[in-house]
Amino acid sequence: MFEIAILFLIFSSFLVLYRAIRGPTIFDRVLVINFIGTKAVIILALIGFAYGRPHFLDIALLYALINFVATIAFLKYRTTGKLG
Amino acid sequence: MVDLLLLVLLVIFALYAVYETDLLSSVVILSAFSLIMTIVWTRLNAVDVAFTEASVGAGVSTIIFLSALSRTKRREEITRNGKKLNIYNFLASLIVIFTGSVLIYGTFDMPDFGDFDAPVNNAIAPRYIYGSMAELGIKNFVTSILAAYRGYDTLGETTVIFTAGVAVVILLRRRDL
């Protein structure tokens, strides 16, 4: 059952691939990595339960914490042109 | 099935990151590549590698790429030179294809993945698994291999990474660029 849920989530990641490749602006691609990051958090939690090792939830939490760091860096680079 | 889909996704992201001339988009897509890679490591039960990939691949290296981009131009310059099929390119690709097929031919002799009779599963792995606690007193044998059995290798790795880190800091802190 967890495997099927993971399959559906990966399939939904394929749907946003069009925006990642064709997406006219950089913001489409930033949205795509946000989407994939959120899906990855859920997939990691699901893998943990599918393998019977619920402490994989720790990685999912770390992931959720790290996810937005890159987004903030992108947006800062886009608005100010530098990071410093 | 899940692994196959993940690997297809990885290949698509990698090809896009290579072919895109807008470097900022490439960096964004490389970040997505790292996100998928973390799932692959977790599915292989390599949780520590997944941790490293999530924090270094998706977090730190993206920021290093971005700060490098802020010192250069955003777009890659397209050279028409590489597209032409001259004799040198043809010979070079012949050599590459030949070397690649020789390497693939060399893998036919290798034991299957996870083969029970493979030498690595008979001699080396049990030695580390059973010897770790008796010889070193470290319960986690990944740690004992990294820190004791191949300690000099890890020392060399750390030196390389430290050198690279110092070089990155020196390059990115220059004010006159």
Side-chain angles (χ1 to χ4, degrees):
Chain A
M1 194 186 78
F2 291 120
E3 286 282 313
I4 298 170
I6 293 171
L7 268 183
F8 269 103
L9 287 174
I10 294 175
F11 177 69
S12 70
S13 302
F14 270 94
L15 292 181
V16 294
L17 211 57
Y18 177 76
R19 270 292 143 220
I21 290 169
R22 268 272 64 95
T25 64
I26 196 73
F27 300 109
D28 295 309
R29 297 189 174 104
V30 171
L31 264 182
V32 165
I33 58 161
N34 248 325
F35 180 88
I36 289 179
T38 316
K39 292 290 159 284
V41 171
I42 304 171
I43 289 175
L44 285 177
L46 282 175
I47 288 175
F49 286 110
Y51 286 0
R53 293 174 70 179
H55 52 264
F56 277 18
L57 219 57
D58 287 347
I59 319 177
L61 283 178
L62 172 85
Y63 222 76
L65 286 174
I66 283 178
N67 230 336
F68 65 94
V69 174
T71 312
I72 288 176
F74 283 126
L75 298 181
K76 192 168 180 193
Y77 172 75
R78 194 69 182 74
T79 46
T80 64
K82 56 179 185 285
L83 286 178
Chain B
M1 185 68 190
V2 173
D3 292 318
L4 187 74
L5 285 177
L6 284 174
L7 293 178
V8 167
L9 213 57
L10 278 181
V11 170
I12 293 173
F13 279 143
L15 285 179
Y16 177 80
V18 171
Y19 279 105
E20 176 63 55
T21 52
D22 183 3
L23 290 174
L24 190 58
S25 298
S26 279
V27 173
V28 176
I29 296 301
L30 270 185
S31 171
F33 181 90
S34 282
L35 296 177
I36 304 288
M37 205 63 209
T38 308
I39 305 176
V40 174
W41 291 128
T42 315
R43 279 191 68 83
L44 291 171
N45 255 320
V47 185
D48 43 347
V49 187
F51 257 119
T52 315
E53 180 78 38
S55 50
V56 175
V60 178
S61 72
T62 308
I63 293 171
I64 290 178
F65 275 138
L66 278 178
S67 49
L69 260 188
S70 69
R71 298 288 165 130
T72 55
K73 282 184 289 185
R74 195 183 136 179
R75 291 210 162 264
E76 203 176 317
E77 278 176 19
I78 304 166
T79 49
R80 293 275 165 237
N81 228 345
K83 305 268 181 186
K84 267 186 288 183
L85 188 73
N86 54 25
I87 185 74
Y88 297 111
N89 289 353
F90 183 69
L91 279 178
S93 50
L94 261 190
I95 292 173
V96 167
I97 289 170
F98 176 72
T99 318
S101 33
V102 166
L103 285 175
I104 290 173
Y105 176 73
T107 63
F108 289 153
D109 284 341
M110 286 171 69
D112 287 337
F113 182 73
D115 189 6
F116 195 71
D117 295 324
V120 66
N121 288 339
N122 279 325
I124 303 167
R127 169 78 169 69
Y128 288 145
I129 293 171
Y130 294 114
S132 167
M133 193 63 195
E135 289 170 356
L136 303 166
I138 302 173
K139 282 177 188 163
N140 187 339
F141 48 82
V142 174
T143 311
S144 74
I145 289 173
L146 275 179
Y149 287 120
R150 32 163 277 193
Y152 284 113
D153 188 49
T154 308
L155 183 67
E157 253 172 39
T158 319
T159 314
V160 169
I161 291 173
F162 178 73
T163 316
V166 169
V168 165
V169 168
I170 289 173
L171 279 176
L172 290 183
R173 283 182 70 88
R174 280 181 67 178
R175 296 279 175 234
D176 52 334
L177 281 173

